[in-house]
Amino acid sequence: MKFEHVSVLGVAHVEAPIRVTSAALADRLLPTLERLGIRPDLLEMVSGIVARRFWPEDVQPSDAATMAANKVIEMTGVDAKRLGALVSTSVCKDYIEPSVACLVHGNLGLSPDCMNFDLGNACLAFLDGMDVVGNMIERGQIDYGIVVDGEGSRMPIERTIERLLDENADDAQFREEFATLTLGSGAVAMVLCRSELEPEAHSFSGAVRLAATEHNRLCLGQPDRMITDTRRLLAAGLELAKRTWDKAVHELEWTLDRFDVLAIHQVSRVHTEQLVQTIGLELDQVVRIYPEYGNVGPASVPIALALAVEEGRIKKGDRVGLLGIGSGLNCAMAELVW
Ligand code: MYA
């Protein structure tokens, strides 16, 4: 899918304020690690994740997403009355209903004409939200739209630690719950717009996607528990990512040296290095936020983008690749020209 009229006006993230190190989690798990003969530094050593963030207990996903939305609205100067769609892509939710999107819409006091809904597709949902809003802009339905995401990993990690400290927890349970300990918290929001209205905005030129739903049971998440077959997920994810890249080469004429910066879904050091190697990319093109933030689900790719912009790593005219993947498995890759 190629867009001709869609741009990103701005992206902003809000950092969850409590930094929790992998060493601190390992300390709490020490009785189990010792009992099962697992080395205490396993989490940080194998995943490369040094820390992740938590929100204070009373911060809900919609509160976090609202903070990020307010920040991007102020940063871009967009007239909030002109937003025609608000899409929330949070995996974490305040309630099963109503949607996170309607809570954020109400908090922001957006127009009654601004369509709002949640879009769920695991860690890939933010890229899907960009696609949906992009399509609405491209076909002339709206001029501006906003995608928001607020994630909180505190509850699943706390519950996982409680379960793993049970004296009946065995090695198999530790392995299937291990990935939960890599999750992080954060919030992010992006305003998309009709390119002709905002000449300084950054072109969203196109995207490709592929599904591999034969792998739809490799990572099963509930609010307080995530079960992951880490080894098979890594292999299947890399294979799907490679096929999605090849599709972009075919449909969007991508080349290995096309991108100045790559914002990819952040899982671990192993995933990042093997992705780069599998496709044939360069590691120094990749923005790496997993060491300090862990895996922030669908917020990972846009937070990596926002941090790279903040740090001056992305300059005007740079080509930025957004490479996303989510449990299911679904993969999407998109291009921005900054
Ligand atoms: S779902 C979230 C998925 N997240 C994770 O899987 C994060 C955690 N996983 C990892 O960090 C790696 O997979 C590990 C394997 C390190 C586990 N429990 O050589 P190895 C030990 C406990 O076999 P690798 C999502 O985000 C093992 O005994 N320990 O490891 C959406 C050994 O220890 P020792 C474990 O294969 C979808 C050591 O680790 C476990 O290199 C994402 C090394 O073992 C375990 N489960 O890595 C889709 N497993 O040395 C995938 C191993 O003491 C995306 N160990 O013997 C892929 C592409 C990414 C981006 C794509 C963008 C397009």
Side-chain angles (χ1 to χ4, degrees):
M1 171 73 195
K2 289 185 183 172
F3 290 124
E4 287 177 10
H5 305 286
V6 184
S7 292
V8 171
L9 191 55
V11 59
H13 82 112
V14 174
E15 194 163 299
I18 303 167
R19 182 173 184 270
V20 179
T21 63
S22 293
L25 297 185
D27 268 354
R28 291 177 59 193
L29 282 167
L30 204 55
T32 302
L33 295 171
E34 282 178 346
R35 182 168 57 78
L36 298 177
I38 298 169
R39 58 179 212 259
D41 61 353
L42 178 84
L43 177 56
E44 184 170 332
M45 286 303 290
V46 299
S47 70
I49 295 168
V50 179
R52 79 282 294 126
R53 311 296 149 128
F54 283 179
W55 298 104
E57 266 178 273
D58 59 343
V59 174
Q60 296 296 314
S62 66
D63 300 325
T66 301
M67 285 187 253
N70 274 321
K71 187 171 171 186
V72 78
I73 288 169
E74 194 187 323
M75 197 179 97
T76 57
V78 67
D79 178 356
K81 289 196 288 294
R82 298 189 70 184
L83 292 171
L86 179 148
V87 179
S88 166
T89 64
S90 306
V91 168
C92 299
K93 297 186 186 309
D94 305 40
Y95 310 101
I96 293 173
E97 63 177 14
S99 67
V100 176
C102 83
L103 298 171
V104 178
H105 184 284
N107 292 344
L108 297 173
L110 297 182
S111 156
D113 294 318
C114 175
M115 178 187 279
N116 60 91
F117 56 89
D118 285 1
L119 187 163
N121 197 12
C123 296
L124 189 62
F126 200 95
L127 279 176
D128 291 319
M130 289 174 62
D131 220 23
V132 167
V133 171
N135 275 301
M136 291 171 79
I137 293 171
E138 186 80 9
R139 77 183 294 271
Q141 189 178 350
I142 61 172
D143 287 331
Y144 293 86
I146 185 167
V147 184
V148 303
D149 195 286
E151 306 295 346
S153 60
R154 184 181 192 129
M155 198 256 272
I157 288 182
E158 290 295 344
R159 296 289 176 278
T160 299
I161 290 175
E162 278 168 27
R163 279 190 300 275
L164 293 180
L165 284 175
D166 187 294
E167 58 185 21
N168 294 314
D170 59 11
D171 190 68
Q173 184 181 351
F174 186 87
R175 283 179 180 272
E176 67 176 19
E177 299 215 31
F178 174 77
T180 317
L181 304 173
T182 66
L183 299 178
S185 312
V188 67
M190 176 185 281
V191 174
L192 293 109
C193 62
R194 176 171 306 287
S195 310
E196 293 77 1
L197 298 174
E198 303 280 352
E200 291 302 309
H202 319 289
S203 170
F204 179 11
S205 45
V208 292
R209 60 183 50 252
L210 268 186
T213 52
E214 63 275 25
H215 302 301
N216 60 12
R217 297 200 163 259
L218 295 183
C219 180
L220 303 173
Q222 286 174 327
D224 62 347
R225 186 172 200 210
M226 188 172 85
I227 301 294
T228 311
D229 183 337
T230 52
R231 191 161 291 166
R232 288 176 62 207
L233 187 70
L234 172 62
L238 289 170
E239 197 264 340
L240 177 62
K242 174 74 171 91
R243 285 196 291 119
T244 311
W245 177 273
D246 291 344
K247 189 173 178 183
V249 169
H250 184 66
E251 290 184 9
L252 305 176
E253 291 154 16
W254 285 12
T255 51
L256 287 173
D257 59 357
R258 184 176 182 90
F259 292 105
D260 301 287
V261 176
L262 291 166
I264 71 170
H265 178 49
Q266 310 279 314
V267 187
S268 79
R269 179 177 50 224
V270 175
H271 295 75
T272 305
E273 290 174 357
Q274 292 198 16
L275 174 80
V276 162
Q277 197 183 13
T278 303
I279 295 180
L281 300 163
E282 297 292 332
L283 203 50
D284 60 12
Q285 293 172 298
V286 176
V287 184
R288 274 171 284 175
I289 66 164
Y290 65 80
E292 268 301 313
Y293 297 92
N295 178 347
V296 202
S300 284
V301 169
I303 291 181
L305 175 67
L307 278 167
V309 173
E310 253 174 42
E311 289 164 7
R313 186 164 167 184
I314 300 178
K315 303 177 297 299
K316 194 169 171 54
D318 277 355
R319 285 186 189 275
V320 184
L322 308 182
L323 277 48
I325 194 161
S327 295
L329 287 168
N330 284 292
C331 187
M333 299 186 176
E335 178 183 75
L336 305 178
V337 183
W338 208 253

